[in-house]
Each structure stands twice: as structure tokens, then as C-alpha cells.
Amino acid sequence: MTRYTPAETEPKWQKAWDEAGLFAAKRDPSKPKYYVLEMFPYPSGALHIGHVRNYTLGDVIARYKSAQGFAVLHPMGWDAFGLPAENAAMERGVHPGDWTYQNIAAMKDQFRALGLTLDWSREFATCDPEYYGQQQAMFLDFLEKGLVYRKKSVVNWDPVDMTVLANEQVEDGRGWRSGAVVERRELTQWFFRISDYSDALLSALDGLDNWPEKVRLMQANWIGKSRGIEIPFHPVGDGDPITCYSTRPDTLRGATFLAISPDHPVAIDLAAHDPAIAAFIEDARKMDTTEAAMEKAEKKGIETGISVLHPVYADRHLPVWIGNFVLMDYGTGAVFGCPAHDQRDLDFARKYDLPVVNAFHLPGDTTDVTDIALVPPKTTEVVYVDHFAGIDIITSQEAIDATIDYFEANALGVAKVNYRLRDWGLSRQRYWGCPIPVVHCDSCGVVPEKKENLPIELPKDVSFDRPGNALDWHPTWRQVPCPKCGDAARRETDTMDTFVDSSWYYARFTAPQAETPTDRQEADYWMNVDQYIGGIEHAILHLLYSRFYARAMIECGHLPEAAAEPFDALFTQGMVTHAIFQGFAADGRREYYFPEDVALRDGKAFRKTDDTEVEIIPSAKMSKSKRNVVNPVAIIERLGADTARWFVLSDSPPERDVEWTDAGAEATSKHLARVWALSDRIARMDDTDAASGADDALMREMHKAIRDVTLGIESFGFNAAIAKLYAFTNVLMKSKASHAAQRKAVMVLAQLMSPMTPHLAEDIWGHHGGAGFVAQAPWPVADESWLVDDKLTMPIQVNGKRRSELLVAKDAPKAEIEAMALADEAVQRALAGNAPKKLIVVPGRIVNVVI
RNA sequence: GCCCGAGUGGCGGAAUUGGUAGACGCAGGGGAUUCAAAAUCCCCCGCCGCAAGGCUUGUCGGUUCGAGUCCGACCUCGGGUACCA
């Protein structure tokens, strides 16, 4: 009897796979290709259990597709630029690059221990000059095509990280990474023209059938398309009109004032001569910068003294106010206020004593709005106070559209579609990022670097003794000749947002050593990513940027047209969670306990030090401070990679969170040991026994297992696939079939398990004389003829409730089933001598007796 | 506020198109083995009930011979998002 010893066998198989070059992706036009990609990790230095789940999910797909005969590309790299490296540099005095590459080396070993089918020959880090040099080359291409530009703009400034953030990176007024309250600053920045693609990015979402609906919706909301109209309001007296944007021109009837942004040109003009207005604008800008609680901030305004004419009722003069709630960079920076039908406008009107005029009422109710704005859903019937647009009964999106058309037809305004999506600001005032390859020259202005000078490498000799951008105070790095005139000039010190790095790495994996950003032969063959796997947290930022980037790369010829949507299918996996053990220290402070410091009894937890019961908070996100982080390296050392892989796949569906429990991991390990023992027992069986009656039953179960596991993997139902594997294993353990049949069954079991537990599968395969690696064996196919039983049990219902069952031949005629059903004891009892009202027989399915 | 998603035993969850609800696992209970324990193996395990039987997929209603699955209303939880005009 040999024992299951993953600590010995797992490294052995990993080495054997490596030496056989099993996972090196090869372009093979004779095979269909399959590109499976998990979102590449940030090299923090330590593998997280969430990584184990993410990469195991992808590995199951990769191994399965490979067994199906696909040429599989399954690469891995490192999203290696970013702030943690600079923080480490500041705290520990190491260079960000050294820190990063050390982390990569450590993490790579941990990845290898998982037995993933990764093609390490394609590995790169985004901080490799070979990678970011190509990114710089592409930046120059984008510049030439006008896909990237420079403008002065008010930006989100993170005062802790001392850098600019994109709108997408501001959450609740705070920096997504630092959590610091974001300030507004005016800086000259580089921008990608992602907003030019608003409509393309929105409409293409419809075609992404294999993306989660949720992600598509989130992106659609983020792009935020709205159809409306720009309406000019002419001033009373002379002057240029002020144009307002509205998606509800039907409420123009109720307009009583105009509000313009503090950044509106009219406001700025007035400020030059009016100190009160200047002070207000100053104040409004400051307010924006300070409080994250600006959600609750007071709506404030100041009168400009200007009045405009209502475009329809010329006798109505509307005062123009400057409002701190009007955004300059959405629409036109000016709105008309309709207090009766907008709560914000109503609050503003009440505060400054502006008139409130209803544009419509609910039918049968002509009371005017007082404190609560009348905002019925778009489908509600309303009665307008006036009939100027020809639409005067029902409001609906169609009615609003008709109003817009009417306005346009009568030269009252111009229809306009607006998007919430803004251009993507990519400048970051950081050292550890991809340098933007331009030079500032006093005579030539902003000059792109020459491609032959690429990569513009980061200097190694930098210090991090003060916050901010180390490139700014490097003694010489900035000083370069102008690529155009040759005079002394200054290199741009801003680097690119790290989201740029991750917006095209998937394309680079198709030819990581190419001298150009991509190799079109390779890219044309491997793109698109057939299955992309990652966390839902990237639903907007990374996935939207990548979709834009692919389009931009196509414009520059770096990708084929067909790669506009680079990810054919997307899967977002859930987190791995763990219970928190929470109690109170002697001084009454709340404290948390590591799992190893807690004893579990009868579903309760007790502190080991003094046996006090502590609270169990189930299924919580892992966090170091809550002491509920599980270390995958320790798990792999103790129980093996196969146990970790199997556990994270079992129980919960992959899109949901799965709770890690030590008991569950132990149980998994025991199960794998049982499977190994089963294999061992079969290997030692006397093989002289003839085929027995039990053989057919076992073969039938085996083919069902092939069918069900295959279906489970195909549909991302890995937990269900694993349940079937358990069931099949249980059958095999009890089987009295011949050695030949059992040997066949256990080898198929090994094949079916191989995507999840590849090392154990190789052990079993080899144990039974399987040829080569199980990793290279073609996926088993279920034989239909084994899947049909000649007899089946049919449930009998009485009035829809199951009362009995019937064993019938699979092709039994309906009349025979009816007769058998009526003769059934339970049915007889229910009928009590009466005839049934109705008898429903669905052959092969069910019998229902209606009384 | 608006937009999504989800509610099934003590727990995680399973259930092609409406057709035997609770697969599989965890936890729990009982037993075998053992001097004892660990390990291993066997049995039980939705709820009520001695039983016959009844009830059961968040709640209420509907469609249907038949509803976890379809329709309507509501409740709870989770996620996203917002001075966007």
C-alpha cells in the first residue's frame, strides 16, 4: 500500500511537464486555437488565496481545452508598475525595480507550486523596458493619429499619493488607492480620446454575449448616453445667448431661472468686474476641493444681474444665477431650472425665493408644487399646462423625443447626445511608471521622441527621500536635446497611468519578444482572448480602457479589425472569504484572533488562551487586520496544490464567494487520499476475473460521469462537476466490477479530475500504465449508447404531488404505463374507487393522476 | 433616489426545456475497529408526527394536470451608481 504524498509527487510532475515543454503555446494553423487569460497579478511578493482561485479557474479551462485538441495559449506576466514599489522604496530604502523583481521571483516560485499550465517562455513584466518601450512607441503612434492630446484641465489630485487620478479612479471623492480626499487642481495633462469612442464602446456592448450582463450594464451606465437638446436663451438686451442642455425639454414650460457653472465663461467674465461674484466662484471651487461630504453640500448661488428671455413665452424673463452645483464639463455648463419638477431646483428656488411654475399636473389634480417636486416616472400620464409641443397628454421617452424634434423643427434648439464618459487622463506624477516619450523645447514646444531613441528608460539612480515624483529632481535625466532642433530641452517627467500598461498586455502575450508592439502574424492567429477571467472590481476601469485601447491599436495597425473587442468571453469570479474570530481583550478593546489561536467545538469558537467563547463572523473578506487571511503557500506545503485547487473549485459556483475553512481543506485532502488509495487497490486487484454483471453498471456510470463533468466544465459549473466526480468515485469504490472495467473507470476518473487535480491525475494515470502524460491524453467522450437505461423509474403524482413510482421499460407504450399507474396501490388509495378526472402521461418523464 | 442581482435544510450549494426538491460536500448523530486515541470503514441526517400522514424553495396572489423554475405585487439582503441637468 503506497501513500498519497503530494509534497513529493507534485514537484516531480511539475518538473516533468516543464522538461517536456507541455505548455509552450505553438501557433498551429491545423488546430483551432484557444486563448485563456486570467488578469495578471500585481507582484506584491506573496501569493494570495484569491490568486489561487483565479488562476485555478483559468487552468481548468486551459487543461480542458488542451485535452479537447485546441492549441492553447495560457500566458502569465506581471502588472509591475505602481505605487507600492515607491512606498517600499521610501520605507525600506530599496529601489522600486529591485523590490519589484525580487517579488516577481518569489511569486513565480509560488505560482509554479500550483501546477498551472502556464507558458513561462512568454512571461514579461510591464516594468521591463522591452515592454514599456513598445508602449512608448505606441504612444507616439497614438499621438500621430490624434488619439492622445494635451490640455489644461482641472484634475483630481490625490494629496497623499501626490498624483493625478482619472475620474474612474475617484470613489466617493477619495482616491481609489490612498483613500485620501481628492482635491481639484489645474494642470496640463495628457488625455486619451476615449470619449470619441463613447458610442462605439456603448453599442458594441450588445454584442458581448459572453460577458456578464452585470458588467455590460455597469459599463453602459458609466458611458452614460443621454439624448437631449441644447437650447439657447437670449439675454434681455444685448449679448450672446446662454445655451442650456436639457434631456427634459417638456419641462421648459416650468423654467423659472437659469443656473450656470462657476467655471462658465460668462461667470468668469463677470467675476473680473464684480468682487462678490469672484468671491463666490473662489468659494465654490474651494468647497469642491475640501469636503467629500459635498454630496450633502448646500446648493448655493449668486445672482448675476443678467436676465434671459424664455424661448417660448417671450414675456417671461428668467434671472441667471451662478450655481455651485452646475458642472462645467457636462453638457454646456448651464441649465434651466424647473423647480416644480426637480427637487434640487426646487430647493434652490425656495432658498432664493424664485418662482415655482408647474409644467404639468397629474390627471385630476391641479395643486401646485410646494415643497416636494413632482417627478413622476416617465411612463406616468400627466397633463401639461400648455400645448406648445403638440404633445400634451402622456409623457414617455417617445413623447420627450417628440418634444426634442418639435424644438428642433421650430429652431428653438439643437438635438444633442451627451455622454458622461470623459477623456482618460493618463499623466501621473510618479517615478515608477512608463515615461511619456516627449520632450519640451522652448522653441519647438512639445516634441515627440524619435522612435529610434526608445525605450526612454527610467534612471536607476534616484532617491525617494521626499514625496512626489523622483524624476523631477533627478540631476540629469530631464536634460536632453530637442529631437527636432537639437537645442537643449527638457524631458517630460510625467509617467503613464498603470492602467495603460494593463490595457494591451493581452496583445503583447501573443508575441512578447516582437520588435514592434505586436507581431501581426501572431496577433492575428491568437487574438481574441477566448476566455478572460478576473475580479468584478475591474468591471469598469480596466475592461473599458482595454476595449478603447484595442480600437486605438487597430487604428495604428497593431491589431486586426476583429480584435476591437479583445475579450470574447469574460468571467468574473467571486472572492475567497474566511470567518473572522472576534472577541474582547482584558481591557475591553475589540480584538481578532488567528484561526490557529481558536478552538472550534459544536459550531462555536473558543479562545485557546482562556477558553472564552468568541464571536464567529462568517464569510468575511480577508484582511490582515482582521487576522482572517489564509496563506496558500502554507496550505500547499501541508496538503498539496491539488487540495488547494480542488477546494477553491468545490462547493460554491465560481462567480460567487467561497468560504475557506480548514475543515473543508482537510476533508478535501482526505478525499484525494481516498482516491489515491482506490487507484492503488485497483492496481493490485487480481486481473484474471472475467467481465461481470457489475461491469455494465459501472460503464454506464462512467459515461454519465463523462457527460456531466464535461457539461459542468463547459458551463463554468465547476462545483457541480466536482460533485459528479464525488458521486462517480463513490460508485467506483463500491463497484464489484472486473479488474479491467475498474481499471478503465479509474483511468477515466483520472482524466476527468486532471483539470482540477493535475498532479494526482498523473499519479493515477501512470500507476495504471497510461501512455505519456494524462495532461496530453485526449478528453474522453461519453458514448450515447451507455447513457440510455432500458428501464427507468417514473414518478407517479396525484394532483401534482408525488405519491409513488413505477419501473417501466424505456419504450413502454403509453397505455401500458396508464394501466400500471392506475393499478398502483397509492393511486388506488387516493382514488377510493372513483375514476380519475384526467390522466397525464409524459413518456420517460412523469405520470400525473388528476382526481 | 435610480439601475442590477440574489433569497432552497444547521451551513456551502444541486436541480437541460416547467416534470421525483434537497445531488455532492461540510457540520452533526449512531455504530465497527482499537487497551485507548488518531486514522479508516459502515449507517442516519429538511420540518412536524409514535405512526399513517401532513408540510416545505423569502411573503402573498396568479397561470398550469404539474411551479424552486413562468407572470404580478411585496419584503429582506448584496452590488453598482449619482449635484449628469
PDB file of all heavy atoms in Angstrom, chain B residues 45-54:
ATOM      1  P     C B  45     -32.040   9.104   6.624  1.00  0.00           P
ATOM      2  OP1   C B  45     -33.499   9.012   6.446  1.00  0.00           O
ATOM      3  OP2   C B  45     -31.121   8.821   5.496  1.00  0.00           O
ATOM      4  O5'   C B  45     -31.689  10.551   7.193  1.00  0.00           O
ATOM      5  C5'   C B  45     -32.370  11.080   8.336  1.00  0.00           C
ATOM      6  C4'   C B  45     -31.662  12.341   8.778  1.00  0.00           C
ATOM      7  O4'   C B  45     -30.305  12.026   9.178  1.00  0.00           O
ATOM      8  C3'   C B  45     -31.481  13.393   7.692  1.00  0.00           C
ATOM      9  O3'   C B  45     -32.648  14.175   7.551  1.00  0.00           O
ATOM     10  C2'   C B  45     -30.300  14.204   8.222  1.00  0.00           C
ATOM     11  O2'   C B  45     -30.694  15.126   9.221  1.00  0.00           O
ATOM     12  C1'   C B  45     -29.452  13.110   8.879  1.00  0.00           C
ATOM     13  N1    C B  45     -28.352  12.623   8.004  1.00  0.00           N
ATOM     14  C2    C B  45     -27.135  13.333   8.002  1.00  0.00           C
ATOM     15  O2    C B  45     -27.015  14.327   8.724  1.00  0.00           O
ATOM     16  N3    C B  45     -26.124  12.902   7.216  1.00  0.00           N
ATOM     17  C4    C B  45     -26.288  11.830   6.449  1.00  0.00           C
ATOM     18  N4    C B  45     -25.269  11.443   5.686  1.00  0.00           N
ATOM     19  C5    C B  45     -27.511  11.096   6.419  1.00  0.00           C
ATOM     20  C6    C B  45     -28.509  11.524   7.205  1.00  0.00           C
ATOM     21  P     G B  46     -33.280  14.400   6.103  1.00  0.00           P
ATOM     22  OP1   G B  46     -34.466  13.566   5.914  1.00  0.00           O
ATOM     23  OP2   G B  46     -32.153  14.334   5.142  1.00  0.00           O
ATOM     24  O5'   G B  46     -33.731  15.920   6.207  1.00  0.00           O
ATOM     25  C5'   G B  46     -32.751  16.937   6.430  1.00  0.00           C
ATOM     26  C4'   G B  46     -33.452  18.263   6.586  1.00  0.00           C
ATOM     27  O4'   G B  46     -34.099  18.586   5.324  1.00  0.00           O
ATOM     28  C3'   G B  46     -34.577  18.263   7.615  1.00  0.00           C
ATOM     29  O3'   G B  46     -34.087  18.564   8.898  1.00  0.00           O
ATOM     30  C2'   G B  46     -35.506  19.352   7.083  1.00  0.00           C
ATOM     31  O2'   G B  46     -35.012  20.636   7.417  1.00  0.00           O
ATOM     32  C1'   G B  46     -35.366  19.160   5.568  1.00  0.00           C
ATOM     33  N9    G B  46     -36.391  18.270   4.995  1.00  0.00           N
ATOM     34  C8    G B  46     -36.179  17.068   4.385  1.00  0.00           C
ATOM     35  N7    G B  46     -37.278  16.507   3.948  1.00  0.00           N
ATOM     36  C5    G B  46     -38.281  17.409   4.312  1.00  0.00           C
ATOM     37  C6    G B  46     -39.673  17.347   4.101  1.00  0.00           C
ATOM     38  O6    G B  46     -40.337  16.473   3.558  1.00  0.00           O
ATOM     39  N1    G B  46     -40.306  18.471   4.626  1.00  0.00           N
ATOM     40  C2    G B  46     -39.677  19.504   5.265  1.00  0.00           C
ATOM     41  N2    G B  46     -40.453  20.475   5.690  1.00  0.00           N
ATOM     42  N3    G B  46     -38.372  19.576   5.454  1.00  0.00           N
ATOM     43  C4    G B  46     -37.733  18.499   4.951  1.00  0.00           C
ATOM     44  P     C B  47     -34.779  17.930  10.187  1.00  0.00           P
ATOM     45  OP1   C B  47     -33.954  18.308  11.341  1.00  0.00           O
ATOM     46  OP2   C B  47     -35.120  16.509   9.943  1.00  0.00           O
ATOM     47  O5'   C B  47     -36.149  18.738  10.232  1.00  0.00           O
ATOM     48  C5'   C B  47     -36.170  20.132  10.562  1.00  0.00           C
ATOM     49  C4'   C B  47     -37.586  20.627  10.567  1.00  0.00           C
ATOM     50  O4'   C B  47     -38.147  20.495   9.223  1.00  0.00           O
ATOM     51  C3'   C B  47     -38.547  19.816  11.425  1.00  0.00           C
ATOM     52  O3'   C B  47     -38.484  20.187  12.789  1.00  0.00           O
ATOM     53  C2'   C B  47     -39.899  20.154  10.793  1.00  0.00           C
ATOM     54  O2'   C B  47     -40.349  21.431  11.178  1.00  0.00           O
ATOM     55  C1'   C B  47     -39.526  20.185   9.311  1.00  0.00           C
ATOM     56  N1    C B  47     -39.765  18.888   8.633  1.00  0.00           N
ATOM     57  C2    C B  47     -41.070  18.554   8.265  1.00  0.00           C
ATOM     58  O2    C B  47     -41.985  19.343   8.543  1.00  0.00           O
ATOM     59  N3    C B  47     -41.309  17.391   7.618  1.00  0.00           N
ATOM     60  C4    C B  47     -40.296  16.565   7.330  1.00  0.00           C
ATOM     61  N4    C B  47     -40.572  15.430   6.692  1.00  0.00           N
ATOM     62  C5    C B  47     -38.947  16.878   7.702  1.00  0.00           C
ATOM     63  C6    C B  47     -38.725  18.039   8.348  1.00  0.00           C
ATOM     64  P     C B  48     -38.734  19.080  13.883  1.00  0.00           P
ATOM     65  OP1   C B  48     -38.422  19.716  15.179  1.00  0.00           O
ATOM     66  OP2   C B  48     -38.071  17.814  13.506  1.00  0.00           O
ATOM     67  O5'   C B  48     -40.321  18.856  13.784  1.00  0.00           O
ATOM     68  C5'   C B  48     -41.211  19.905  14.147  1.00  0.00           C
ATOM     69  C4'   C B  48     -42.626  19.459  13.937  1.00  0.00           C
ATOM     70  O4'   C B  48     -42.893  19.272  12.519  1.00  0.00           O
ATOM     71  C3'   C B  48     -42.996  18.100  14.522  1.00  0.00           C
ATOM     72  O3'   C B  48     -43.225  18.160  15.920  1.00  0.00           O
ATOM     73  C2'   C B  48     -44.255  17.766  13.737  1.00  0.00           C
ATOM     74  O2'   C B  48     -45.371  18.500  14.215  1.00  0.00           O
ATOM     75  C1'   C B  48     -43.880  18.270  12.346  1.00  0.00           C
ATOM     76  N1    C B  48     -43.330  17.170  11.513  1.00  0.00           N
ATOM     77  C2    C B  48     -44.236  16.345  10.836  1.00  0.00           C
ATOM     78  O2    C B  48     -45.454  16.560  10.971  1.00  0.00           O
ATOM     79  N3    C B  48     -43.763  15.336  10.072  1.00  0.00           N
ATOM     80  C4    C B  48     -42.457  15.139   9.967  1.00  0.00           C
ATOM     81  N4    C B  48     -42.036  14.133   9.200  1.00  0.00           N
ATOM     82  C5    C B  48     -41.506  15.961  10.653  1.00  0.00           C
ATOM     83  C6    C B  48     -41.993  16.958  11.406  1.00  0.00           C
ATOM     84  P     G B  49     -42.842  16.887  16.799  1.00  0.00           P
ATOM     85  OP1   G B  49     -43.289  17.190  18.172  1.00  0.00           O
ATOM     86  OP2   G B  49     -41.443  16.475  16.556  1.00  0.00           O
ATOM     87  O5'   G B  49     -43.775  15.749  16.190  1.00  0.00           O
ATOM     88  C5'   G B  49     -45.155  15.718  16.505  1.00  0.00           C
ATOM     89  C4'   G B  49     -45.799  14.536  15.813  1.00  0.00           C
ATOM     90  O4'   G B  49     -45.637  14.656  14.375  1.00  0.00           O
ATOM     91  C3'   G B  49     -45.185  13.180  16.109  1.00  0.00           C
ATOM     92  O3'   G B  49     -45.559  12.677  17.379  1.00  0.00           O
ATOM     93  C2'   G B  49     -45.727  12.353  14.947  1.00  0.00           C
ATOM     94  O2'   G B  49     -47.079  12.013  15.136  1.00  0.00           O
ATOM     95  C1'   G B  49     -45.612  13.358  13.791  1.00  0.00           C
ATOM     96  N9    G B  49     -44.317  13.149  13.130  1.00  0.00           N
ATOM     97  C8    G B  49     -43.120  13.763  13.379  1.00  0.00           C
ATOM     98  N7    G B  49     -42.142  13.318  12.636  1.00  0.00           N
ATOM     99  C5    G B  49     -42.739  12.339  11.855  1.00  0.00           C
ATOM    100  C6    G B  49     -42.188  11.478  10.859  1.00  0.00           C
ATOM    101  O6    G B  49     -41.022  11.434  10.462  1.00  0.00           O
ATOM    102  N1    G B  49     -43.140  10.632  10.330  1.00  0.00           N
ATOM    103  C2    G B  49     -44.463  10.598  10.696  1.00  0.00           C
ATOM    104  N2    G B  49     -45.233   9.698  10.064  1.00  0.00           N
ATOM    105  N3    G B  49     -44.989  11.380  11.612  1.00  0.00           N
ATOM    106  C4    G B  49     -44.078  12.218  12.149  1.00  0.00           C
ATOM    107  P     C B  50     -44.449  11.920  18.234  1.00  0.00           P
ATOM    108  OP1   C B  50     -45.081  11.519  19.492  1.00  0.00           O
ATOM    109  OP2   C B  50     -43.247  12.822  18.214  1.00  0.00           O
ATOM    110  O5'   C B  50     -44.071  10.632  17.388  1.00  0.00           O
ATOM    111  C5'   C B  50     -42.928   9.841  17.721  1.00  0.00           C
ATOM    112  C4'   C B  50     -43.223   8.378  17.480  1.00  0.00           C
ATOM    113  O4'   C B  50     -44.324   7.973  18.339  1.00  0.00           O
ATOM    114  C3'   C B  50     -43.708   8.038  16.077  1.00  0.00           C
ATOM    115  O3'   C B  50     -42.618   7.806  15.202  1.00  0.00           O
ATOM    116  C2'   C B  50     -44.531   6.776  16.289  1.00  0.00           C
ATOM    117  O2'   C B  50     -43.720   5.626  16.318  1.00  0.00           O
ATOM    118  C1'   C B  50     -45.123   7.010  17.688  1.00  0.00           C
ATOM    119  N1    C B  50     -46.514   7.510  17.645  1.00  0.00           N
ATOM    120  C2    C B  50     -47.561   6.611  17.398  1.00  0.00           C
ATOM    121  O2    C B  50     -47.268   5.420  17.195  1.00  0.00           O
ATOM    122  N3    C B  50     -48.827   7.041  17.374  1.00  0.00           N
ATOM    123  C4    C B  50     -49.091   8.333  17.586  1.00  0.00           C
ATOM    124  N4    C B  50     -50.371   8.721  17.552  1.00  0.00           N
ATOM    125  C5    C B  50     -48.062   9.275  17.843  1.00  0.00           C
ATOM    126  C6    C B  50     -46.790   8.827  17.860  1.00  0.00           C
ATOM    127  P     A B  51     -42.679   8.358  13.682  1.00  0.00           P
ATOM    128  OP1   A B  51     -41.431   7.958  13.004  1.00  0.00           O
ATOM    129  OP2   A B  51     -43.037   9.787  13.765  1.00  0.00           O
ATOM    130  O5'   A B  51     -43.894   7.547  13.051  1.00  0.00           O
ATOM    131  C5'   A B  51     -43.715   6.180  12.643  1.00  0.00           C
ATOM    132  C4'   A B  51     -45.060   5.548  12.403  1.00  0.00           C
ATOM    133  O4'   A B  51     -45.940   5.872  13.507  1.00  0.00           O
ATOM    134  C3'   A B  51     -45.802   6.036  11.168  1.00  0.00           C
ATOM    135  O3'   A B  51     -45.429   5.256  10.040  1.00  0.00           O
ATOM    136  C2'   A B  51     -47.269   5.842  11.531  1.00  0.00           C
ATOM    137  O2'   A B  51     -47.696   4.519  11.281  1.00  0.00           O
ATOM    138  C1'   A B  51     -47.259   6.072  13.046  1.00  0.00           C
ATOM    139  N9    A B  51     -47.671   7.425  13.437  1.00  0.00           N
ATOM    140  C8    A B  51     -46.875   8.533  13.615  1.00  0.00           C
ATOM    141  N7    A B  51     -47.528   9.603  14.006  1.00  0.00           N
ATOM    142  C5    A B  51     -48.847   9.165  14.084  1.00  0.00           C
ATOM    143  C6    A B  51     -50.048   9.833  14.435  1.00  0.00           C
ATOM    144  N6    A B  51     -50.093  11.121  14.791  1.00  0.00           N
ATOM    145  N1    A B  51     -51.187   9.116  14.403  1.00  0.00           N
ATOM    146  C2    A B  51     -51.131   7.824  14.053  1.00  0.00           C
ATOM    147  N3    A B  51     -50.063   7.091  13.702  1.00  0.00           N
ATOM    148  C4    A B  51     -48.953   7.826  13.740  1.00  0.00           C
ATOM    149  P     A B  52     -45.389   5.856   8.569  1.00  0.00           P
ATOM    150  OP1   A B  52     -44.800   4.834   7.686  1.00  0.00           O
ATOM    151  OP2   A B  52     -44.780   7.193   8.667  1.00  0.00           O
ATOM    152  O5'   A B  52     -46.933   6.013   8.199  1.00  0.00           O
ATOM    153  C5'   A B  52     -47.696   4.889   7.759  1.00  0.00           C
ATOM    154  C4'   A B  52     -49.162   5.225   7.756  1.00  0.00           C
ATOM    155  O4'   A B  52     -49.527   5.686   9.091  1.00  0.00           O
ATOM    156  C3'   A B  52     -49.549   6.389   6.846  1.00  0.00           C
ATOM    157  O3'   A B  52     -49.763   5.970   5.514  1.00  0.00           O
ATOM    158  C2'   A B  52     -50.826   6.900   7.509  1.00  0.00           C
ATOM    159  O2'   A B  52     -51.936   6.088   7.195  1.00  0.00           O
ATOM    160  C1'   A B  52     -50.477   6.732   8.997  1.00  0.00           C
ATOM    161  N9    A B  52     -49.874   7.946   9.545  1.00  0.00           N
ATOM    162  C8    A B  52     -48.564   8.365   9.464  1.00  0.00           C
ATOM    163  N7    A B  52     -48.326   9.500  10.068  1.00  0.00           N
ATOM    164  C5    A B  52     -49.558   9.859  10.584  1.00  0.00           C
ATOM    165  C6    A B  52     -49.977  10.975  11.334  1.00  0.00           C
ATOM    166  N6    A B  52     -49.164  11.964  11.710  1.00  0.00           N
ATOM    167  N1    A B  52     -51.281  11.039  11.699  1.00  0.00           N
ATOM    168  C2    A B  52     -52.098  10.051  11.322  1.00  0.00           C
ATOM    169  N3    A B  52     -51.823   8.947  10.613  1.00  0.00           N
ATOM    170  C4    A B  52     -50.524   8.916  10.274  1.00  0.00           C
ATOM    171  P     G B  53     -49.110   6.729   4.300  1.00  0.00           P
ATOM    172  OP1   G B  53     -49.810   6.375   3.054  1.00  0.00           O
ATOM    173  OP2   G B  53     -47.657   6.496   4.394  1.00  0.00           O
ATOM    174  O5'   G B  53     -49.368   8.260   4.652  1.00  0.00           O
ATOM    175  C5'   G B  53     -50.594   8.886   4.319  1.00  0.00           C
ATOM    176  C4'   G B  53     -50.861  10.022   5.273  1.00  0.00           C
ATOM    177  O4'   G B  53     -50.131   9.804   6.515  1.00  0.00           O
ATOM    178  C3'   G B  53     -50.380  11.401   4.830  1.00  0.00           C
ATOM    179  O3'   G B  53     -51.271  12.007   3.910  1.00  0.00           O
ATOM    180  C2'   G B  53     -50.309  12.154   6.156  1.00  0.00           C
ATOM    181  O2'   G B  53     -51.596  12.500   6.621  1.00  0.00           O
ATOM    182  C1'   G B  53     -49.733  11.051   7.070  1.00  0.00           C
ATOM    183  N9    G B  53     -48.266  11.115   7.097  1.00  0.00           N
ATOM    184  C8    G B  53     -47.373  10.275   6.474  1.00  0.00           C
ATOM    185  N7    G B  53     -46.132  10.597   6.695  1.00  0.00           N
ATOM    186  C5    G B  53     -46.200  11.708   7.509  1.00  0.00           C
ATOM    187  C6    G B  53     -45.158  12.504   8.070  1.00  0.00           C
ATOM    188  O6    G B  53     -43.946  12.371   7.964  1.00  0.00           O
ATOM    189  N1    G B  53     -45.677  13.559   8.830  1.00  0.00           N
ATOM    190  C2    G B  53     -47.001  13.798   9.027  1.00  0.00           C
ATOM    191  N2    G B  53     -47.306  14.849   9.779  1.00  0.00           N
ATOM    192  N3    G B  53     -47.983  13.076   8.510  1.00  0.00           N
ATOM    193  C4    G B  53     -47.509  12.051   7.770  1.00  0.00           C
ATOM    194  P     G B  54     -50.735  12.997   2.807  1.00  0.00           P
ATOM    195  OP1   G B  54     -51.843  13.285   1.875  1.00  0.00           O
ATOM    196  OP2   G B  54     -49.467  12.464   2.289  1.00  0.00           O
ATOM    197  O5'   G B  54     -50.419  14.304   3.650  1.00  0.00           O
ATOM    198  C5'   G B  54     -51.493  15.018   4.277  1.00  0.00           C
ATOM    199  C4'   G B  54     -50.939  16.035   5.241  1.00  0.00           C
ATOM    200  O4'   G B  54     -50.075  15.387   6.207  1.00  0.00           O
ATOM    201  C3'   G B  54     -50.042  17.101   4.635  1.00  0.00           C
ATOM    202  O3'   G B  54     -50.781  18.129   3.984  1.00  0.00           O
ATOM    203  C2'   G B  54     -49.291  17.601   5.863  1.00  0.00           C
ATOM    204  O2'   G B  54     -50.113  18.438   6.665  1.00  0.00           O
ATOM    205  C1'   G B  54     -49.047  16.276   6.605  1.00  0.00           C
ATOM    206  N9    G B  54     -47.741  15.706   6.236  1.00  0.00           N
ATOM    207  C8    G B  54     -47.495  14.618   5.426  1.00  0.00           C
ATOM    208  N7    G B  54     -46.212  14.362   5.289  1.00  0.00           N
ATOM    209  C5    G B  54     -45.581  15.342   6.056  1.00  0.00           C
ATOM    210  C6    G B  54     -44.199  15.589   6.305  1.00  0.00           C
ATOM    211  O6    G B  54     -43.229  14.961   5.881  1.00  0.00           O
ATOM    212  N1    G B  54     -44.008  16.683   7.132  1.00  0.00           N
ATOM    213  C2    G B  54     -45.016  17.455   7.651  1.00  0.00           C
ATOM    214  N2    G B  54     -44.639  18.473   8.432  1.00  0.00           N
ATOM    215  N3    G B  54     -46.311  17.247   7.443  1.00  0.00           N
ATOM    216  C4    G B  54     -46.515  16.181   6.644  1.00  0.00           C
TER     217        G B  54
END
